[in-house]
Amino acid sequence: MDGFDGFDGERAQVWAPSPLAPETPNDGRAEPPCGPAFEIISPPAPTCPLVFASSHSGRIYPPALMAASRLDARSIRRSEDVLVDQLFAAAPRHGAPLILARYARAYVDLNREAYELDPRLFHDALPAWVRTQTPRAAAGLGSVARVVGEGQEIYHRRLTFAEAQARIESIHRPYHAALDGLLTAAEERFGFAILIDAHSMPSAALGSPSGPLTAEVVLGDRHGSACAGLVIDRAEALLRTAGLRTARNAPYAGGWTTEHHGRPAAGRHALQIEVVRSLYVDERTLKPSAGFGRLEQRLAEVIAGLCDADWSALAR
């Protein structure tokens, strides 16, 4: 199956359209249409209780998605966390595993509850157990999203529930099972685990796409419920030492991943880190900017600081 890179330096895999056909649901063991759902980059030996994740930087846009989409190859990428996987690539060098989604967020959003769906996207009735009344589903931003970017409709047709189910069972569930496995391994080795869930956000999310940024990195701990205060305090201190302006829990307090995996009372801590895209890419073309290398270096320093820190105070 031939694809194309789409944009220099980004390795987007936007596949040529194929005839419309519903995807076949499966039991979660079948491989999704374009290969494995995720990639894990492991250190030679884990030396710290941290696990890094990037769930929105996937660049595979399968044929079924592109055939059903009304958007062009650039527009459909407006919700992609462009190159976040590369910005956090230093983690394995410092003893922490890094799990990366391979499929685009527009195809299946791993930072949503598995069956959180907007019924307006489907032409058949959804099962009663599907969560259709959440704010995210109501906004068209469920695990299979109806819209992308600034409310742009993704599809020129409505989907079947079977199509969504196939994506969820072959990509969403395996990804979170693997992430849970990494966190469990850290808990068994160190007595606790710390998830750093890495994302990027448009500068417009901070109120002004062209004016000075009030913050460059937003830390989300679900207002203190997803991790111990030590985790967000230490991350913020390292980011500021690296010369980055920070904010907490606004406009993003952490998504479903942070909420689901963050259970500090049980020794599992989760912190979301959102980096402003204008620091490292041209937000119009999505190409890396002159600031990419500098930000990558700064984040590598932060990652090293997190991995080398003494976290023993978190031991139960």
Side-chain angles (χ1 to χ4, degrees):
M1 184 182 300
D2 293 329
F4 61 90
D5 284 348
F7 308 101
D8 293 342
E10 296 173 69
R11 298 183 290 115
Q13 297 173 35
V14 183
W15 304 96
S18 64
L20 296 184
E23 297 161 34
T24 303
N26 58 67
D27 61 4
R29 291 175 293 183
E31 196 169 83
C34 302
F38 57 86
E39 177 183 3
I40 296 174
I41 304 174
S42 300
T47 59
C48 64
L50 281 86
V51 173
F52 288 79
S54 177
S55 62
H56 283 168
S57 58
R59 292 184 278 274
I60 293 178
Y61 293 78
L65 173 63
M66 297 310 298
S69 177
R70 65 174 65 196
L71 301 176
D72 62 29
R74 179 171 286 122
S75 297
I76 201 170
R77 301 186 66 209
R78 290 300 173 192
S79 61
E80 184 184 310
D81 286 356
V82 183
L83 297 177
V84 164
D85 52 348
Q86 292 187 32
L87 289 176
F88 285 81
R93 298 198 299 271
H94 295 282
L98 172 64
I99 182 169
L100 308 171
R102 298 185 68 245
Y103 285 79
R105 178 186 186 182
Y107 189 62
V108 60
D109 193 332
L110 303 177
N111 201 23
R112 300 289 183 265
E113 189 171 349
Y115 284 96
E116 185 175 11
L117 299 171
D118 181 354
R120 291 171 293 177
L121 178 57
F122 302 93
H123 66 68
D124 51 348
L126 300 180
W129 47 265
V130 172
R131 297 199 66 198
T132 61
Q133 302 301 315
T134 70
R136 291 177 294 217
L141 296 170
S143 57
V144 176
R146 178 176 56 83
V147 300
V148 70
E150 294 75 37
Q152 290 180 289
E153 295 276 347
I154 297 174
Y155 299 96
H156 62 66
R157 67 174 176 91
R158 289 192 287 176
L159 306 183
T160 65
F161 175 68
E163 290 177 275
Q165 187 176 31
R167 300 182 195 185
I168 293 163
E169 295 298 331
S170 64
I171 299 173
H172 188 289
R173 289 205 186 280
Y175 173 88
H176 281 285
L179 177 53
D180 182 74
L182 292 173
L183 293 169
T184 297
E187 290 170 343
E188 291 174 349
R189 182 182 289 265
F190 300 100
F192 56 93
I194 303 168
L195 168 63
I196 303 296
D197 196 35
H199 295 267
S200 71
M201 59 183 175
S203 56
L206 294 172
S208 174
S210 57
L213 295 170
T214 56
E216 296 165 315
V217 181
V218 175
L219 300 166
D221 66 352
R222 305 290 299 181
H223 301 283
S225 67
C227 66
L230 174 63
V231 177
I232 192 169
D233 289 346
R234 185 166 285 169
E236 185 168 54
L238 287 166
L239 287 161
R240 289 181 173 178
T241 298
L244 293 162
R245 296 190 300 278
T246 63
R248 293 191 183 192
N249 291 310
Y252 302 109
W256 184 81
T257 299
T258 313
E259 178 184 10
H260 176 69
H261 292 286
R263 301 190 293 273
R268 185 173 290 195
H269 306 265
L271 178 67
Q272 179 172 288
I273 295 182
E274 293 264 4
V275 181
V276 176
R277 285 183 203 136
S278 60
L279 290 178
Y280 68 98
V281 297
D282 181 314
E283 293 189 272
R284 183 182 59 83
T285 65
L286 303 182
K287 292 183 179 180
S289 68
F292 181 87
R294 175 60 177 147
L295 180 61
E296 185 179 33
Q297 179 182 355
R298 287 176 167 183
L299 290 176
E301 294 169 2
V302 172
I303 291 165
L306 289 170
C307 292
D308 295 342
D310 178 5
W311 296 104
S312 59
L314 298 179
R316 288 177 286 168

